[in-house]
């Protein structure tokens, strides 16, 4: 399946699942409160499939899978016969209306917990947060090759992914950040990253590289450039064990060792592990021009980091782990939203359907646990975004009902109409910004 069609497919699967759960939350609580539901739609636009249920609800799957809705009987929208007014949404007590509106985001929150429980049950493979090389500000802070990151600030770190998220947040906050590490010798040290330094250029989307931290990637060949020194010698999947008898433990060691050992008419002996066997190969590196000047190269690209950390729990232990992870993710998402509102974080962090589709496809290609994790993050984001106090979103409706609770009467029609227009403008602006960011990412 091509990347384009794969991205489209996984976008439809992801949004279809999350929207269905969201709308089912509204539907289920509305039915429990005695409200007549006229239509349950997954997607917008022209119906692709529809069926009238025994309960009188029309179930629809529509052409545009970027949302959905539950249409309830409401006197503000249609003429309601006197004998059905007791089933109208607007006739229900404000407490029931609050419950119906809040049920959609709550369904996404519960789905997030369930997805994370399944992820821990399956087991999510990741990489250990080990440092391969430190340069720039990380080297100044004392980071050494082989350091394993244990905590960033107060946040405990188990994997390379968690380290990336924590360091990205620290890069946004621009405060001195303590990083607790376990050294190669087994001792623990605290390195202080001076992220408040004036003029320090940090890329919150690429925290490791902008901080000068290079993860410890294994010396495994992913690709051999045609016509290069390694062409016909090394193969994808080869693990480089030694150069001229000197052991190679991480990919980051390879370049400096090449510069030290290579020379004109001086072939190197490269020891590799291939299909469980050790093979010794003579290779003559070539001197090529790079952005940093001339350098000796073999012509090979590194494979992705090893999946040497597995987040897995049994059925019972996965429950508190899923709840804890949901809480951590909630703090991350709400914290990022607040940083964007206050201007600390770039609005480039807002993503639209194109980026979501690409990430969905990439997560699915990494395996079921990664896709479950992606769905959990997306479900939680849908929950939080819908709770924002923006008219036309669930949070906007909840705000109206809370005002009604305080003042003892519903919000006036003029206020509702003005809120609808403001909400549409805000939502259109957010969607436009999201699409703009998506297009910029396509070109990067």
């Amino acid at each position: 399946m091509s990347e384009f069609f794969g991205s489209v497919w996984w976008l439809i699967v992801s949004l279809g699942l999350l929207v269905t759960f969201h709308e089912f939350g509204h539907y289920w609580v509305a039915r429990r409160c005695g409200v007549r539901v006229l239509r349950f739609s997954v997607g917008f636009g022209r119906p692709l499939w529809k069926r009238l249920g025994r309960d009188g609800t029309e179930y629809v799957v529509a052409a545009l899978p970027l949302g959905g809705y539950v249409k309830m009987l409401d006197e503000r929208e249609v003429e309601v016969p006197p004998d059905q007014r007791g089933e109208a949404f607007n006739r229900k007590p404000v407490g029931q209306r609050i419950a119906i509106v809040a049920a959609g985001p709550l369904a996404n929150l519960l789905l997030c917990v369930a997805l994370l429980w399944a992820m821990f049950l399956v087991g999510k493979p990741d990489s250990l947060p080990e440092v391969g090389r430190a340069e720039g500000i990380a080297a100044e802070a004392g980071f050494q090759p082989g350091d394993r990151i244990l905590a960033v600030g107060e946040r405990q770190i188990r994997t390379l992914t968690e380290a990336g998220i924590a360091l990205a947040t620290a890069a946004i906050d621009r405060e001195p950040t303590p990083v607790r590490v376990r050294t190669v010798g087994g001792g623990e040290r605290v390195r202080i990253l001076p992220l408040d330094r004036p003029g320090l250029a940090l890329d919150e989307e690429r925290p490791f590289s902008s901080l000068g931290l290079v993860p410890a990637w294994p010396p495994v060949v992913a690709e051999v450039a045609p016509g290069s020194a390694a062409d016909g010698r090394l193969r994808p999947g080869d693990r480089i064990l030694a150069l001229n008898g000197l052991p190679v433990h991480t990919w980051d060691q390879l370049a400096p060792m090449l510069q030290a050992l290579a020379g004109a008419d001086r072939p190197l002996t490269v020891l590799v592990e291939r299909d469980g066997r050790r093979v010794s190969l003579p290779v003559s590196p070539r001197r090529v021009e790079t952005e940093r000047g001339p350098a000796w190269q073999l012509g090979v690209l590194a494979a992705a980091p090893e999946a040497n950390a597995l987040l897995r729990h049994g059925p019972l232990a996965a429950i508190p782990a899923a709840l804890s992870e949901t809480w951590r993710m909630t703090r991350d998402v709400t914290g990022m939203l607040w940083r964007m509102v206050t201007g600390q974080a770039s609005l480039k962090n807002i993503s639209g359907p194109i980026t979501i589709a690409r990430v969905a496809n990439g997560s699915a290609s990494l395996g079921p646990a990664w896709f479950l994790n992606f769905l959990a993050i997306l479900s939680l984001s849908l929950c939080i975004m819908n709770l924002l106090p923006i008219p036309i979103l669930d949070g906007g409706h909840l705000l109206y009902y809370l005002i009604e609770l305080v003042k003892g009467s519903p919000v006036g029609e003029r206020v509702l109409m003005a809120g609808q227009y403001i909400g549409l403008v805000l939502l259109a602006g957010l969607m436009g910004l999201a699409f703009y960011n998506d297009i910029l990412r396509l070109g990067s």
Side-chain angles (χ1 to χ4, degrees):
M1 186 183 293
S2 69
E3 182 179 357
F4 173 78
F5 288 109
S7 298
V8 171
W9 166 250
W10 289 115
L11 175 68
I12 293 172
V13 170
S14 302
L15 292 184
L17 176 65
L18 302 186
V19 167
T20 299
F21 265 83
H22 181 93
E23 299 306 332
F24 182 77
H26 291 310
Y27 168 84
W28 189 83
V29 176
R31 295 293 295 165
R32 301 288 81 73
C33 293
V35 176
R36 181 185 291 271
V37 178
L38 303 178
R39 174 177 283 191
F40 183 123
S41 178
V42 177
F44 298 111
R46 185 174 64 86
L48 300 176
W49 174 89
K50 60 182 178 180
R51 183 180 68 85
L52 187 64
R54 293 180 180 179
D55 56 0
T57 302
E58 184 182 40
Y59 299 91
V60 175
V61 176
L64 189 61
L66 297 180
Y69 61 93
V70 168
K71 183 178 181 180
M72 290 171 273
L73 188 66
D74 197 313
E75 290 178 295
R76 296 168 298 180
E77 298 177 3
V78 296
E79 188 70 30
V80 178
D83 62 324
Q84 296 181 11
R85 286 174 185 169
E87 297 180 286
F89 174 78
N90 63 293
R91 290 283 182 132
K92 296 300 178 181
V94 65
Q96 289 189 4
R97 282 179 275 142
I98 288 175
I100 293 169
V101 171
L106 180 59
N108 283 125
L109 179 61
L110 294 175
L111 178 61
C112 173
V113 176
L115 290 166
L116 290 173
W117 177 84
M119 180 199 76
F120 283 122
L121 208 61
V122 172
K124 180 189 172 193
D126 209 320
S127 301
L128 292 172
E130 293 184 352
V131 177
R133 183 180 76 248
E135 55 189 24
I137 191 172
E140 294 176 27
F143 282 89
Q144 299 291 327
D147 280 354
R148 179 179 296 183
I149 299 174
L150 302 177
V152 176
E154 298 299 320
R155 180 169 178 166
Q156 302 301 310
I157 300 299
R158 297 167 296 178
T159 66
L160 190 63
T161 301
E162 292 178 352
I165 294 172
L167 289 171
T169 303
I172 293 171
D173 292 340
R174 296 299 184 109
E175 296 177 352
T177 303
V179 180
R180 183 162 53 90
V181 303
R182 179 179 294 120
T183 65
V184 175
E188 291 191 7
R189 298 284 187 276
V190 175
R191 321 287 196 197
I192 307 295
L193 288 169
L195 303 182
D196 59 337
R197 180 181 298 173
L200 183 64
L202 295 175
D203 186 348
E204 58 200 57
E205 295 185 355
R206 297 176 176 84
F208 278 103
S209 58
S210 64
L211 293 173
L213 287 170
V214 181
W217 285 26
V220 177
V221 177
E223 185 179 340
V224 179
S228 66
D231 190 17
R233 301 284 186 175
L234 299 180
R235 301 176 187 173
D238 284 350
R239 186 185 188 98
I240 300 175
L241 302 176
L243 290 181
N244 280 3
L246 298 176
V248 178
H249 301 291
T250 66
W251 186 270
D252 199 62
Q253 294 177 296
L254 194 58
M257 289 179 68
L258 273 175
Q259 311 319 306
L261 298 174
D265 301 321
R266 192 191 305 167
L268 300 180
T269 301
V270 181
L271 179 65
V272 303
E273 183 179 327
R274 177 184 296 169
D275 300 327
R277 298 180 297 108
R278 293 193 171 198
V279 181
S280 185
L281 303 166
V283 181
S284 298
R286 295 177 184 172
R287 195 168 178 82
V288 298
E289 289 294 329
T290 68
E291 295 179 354
R292 299 184 179 183
W296 295 99
Q297 290 188 354
L298 295 176
V300 292
L301 296 178
E306 287 181 305
N308 50 9
L310 184 65
L311 298 180
R312 176 183 284 171
H313 298 286
L316 294 180
I319 296 173
L323 292 171
S324 176
E325 186 72 2
T326 300
W327 173 241
R328 184 192 63 77
M329 286 167 48
T330 301
R331 287 185 299 170
D332 286 343
V333 174
T334 54
M336 180 59 70
L337 284 173
W338 178 249
R339 290 177 177 90
M340 286 191 286
V341 169
T342 57
Q344 286 181 273
S346 170
L347 294 177
K348 293 179 180 179
N349 289 289
I350 297 175
S351 300
I354 298 174
T355 298
I356 293 173
R358 296 175 71 185
V359 176
N361 185 50
S363 300
S365 67
L366 290 173
W370 278 94
F371 188 62
L372 289 168
N373 184 71
F374 163 76
L375 286 177
I377 295 172
L378 195 58
S379 187
L380 181 63
S381 300
L382 185 60
C383 165
I384 293 171
M385 292 298 293
N386 265 281
L387 288 175
L388 294 178
I390 298 175
I392 82 172
L393 294 180
D394 292 332
H397 292 296
L398 290 173
L399 178 62
Y400 289 145
Y401 299 145
L402 290 175
I403 294 173
E404 182 179 341
L405 274 177
V406 173
K407 68 190 288 280
S409 60
V411 175
E413 288 294 327
R414 293 182 63 183
V415 175
L416 286 174
M417 290 299 296
Q420 293 285 69
Y421 286 122
I422 293 172
L424 284 171
V425 170
L426 289 173
L427 202 57
L430 282 172
M431 291 179 65
L433 179 60
F435 273 108
Y436 176 74
N437 288 340
D438 281 356
I439 293 170
L440 287 183
R441 289 190 185 99
L442 285 175
S444 62

